[in-house]
Amino acid sequence: MNTQNTLFPEQQGFTTEDILWALGIWSVILTLSPVVVFYVLMVA
């Protein structure tokens, strides 16, 4: 039983919180990816 639709029936699609979560996760991934690549190249 999904209670979120009954509490917020007008809320559809992405919310501001979802966009901020996505931006935060992608910023962390893009920031750490060069470090991981450099580490793999140094170790391998």
Side-chain angles (χ1 to χ4, degrees), residues 13-32:
F14 293 108
T15 61
T16 307
E17 191 176 359
D18 293 333
I19 296 173
L20 288 177
W21 264 98
L23 287 177
I25 292 172
W26 275 109
S27 63
V28 169
I29 291 174
L30 291 177
T31 304
L32 291 180

Side-chain angles (χ1 to χ4, degrees), residues 1 4 11-12 15 18 23 27-28 30 33-34 36 41 43:
M1 180 178 172
Q4 190 174 4
Q11 193 173 25
Q12 296 292 333
T15 61
D18 293 333
L23 287 177
S27 63
V28 169
L30 291 177
S33 57
V36 173
L41 288 176
V43 171

